[in-house]
Amino acid sequence: KEAVATVGMAQKASASLLARSVPGLTLADAIDLAATLRRDLAGSAPLPAEVAALASVRIYPARVRCALLPWEAFRSALDTIA
């Protein structure tokens, strides 16, 4: 039960960072931030400052997937308008 709650927290934290990071960005910059997070969260490169708090999920593959879910939904929504 505790692990499930922690995974849910990664998704909520990621969604919160998305909501704080994207307003005010151009469409191209928002797409770039989402792509950078997707690429770098799976690796070891430093994350952009806006989303650096998510670096701790890297060691847990399930949490990486959860953390990326809000960003993938965001990107999917952008694909419908771009």
Side-chain angles (χ1 to χ4, degrees):
K1 183 175 179 180
E2 185 176 316
V4 172
T6 303
V7 171
M9 293 175 76
Q11 187 174 346
K12 290 177 187 178
S14 184
S16 178
L17 289 172
L18 169 68
R20 290 181 183 186
S21 301
V22 170
L25 294 180
T26 65
L27 181 58
D29 288 343
I31 290 170
D32 185 53
L33 180 59
T36 299
L37 179 64
R38 181 172 180 74
R39 180 190 69 231
D40 293 349
L41 197 56
S44 60
L47 295 175
E50 304 96 310
V51 294
L54 294 175
S56 63
V57 303
R58 285 179 166 155
I59 60 174
Y60 305 102
R63 292 180 188 170
V64 169
R65 290 189 298 273
C66 288
L68 288 174
L69 184 60
W71 294 87
E72 290 172 357
F74 172 67
R75 179 57 202 247
S76 180
L78 289 180
D79 287 344
T80 66
I81 62 169

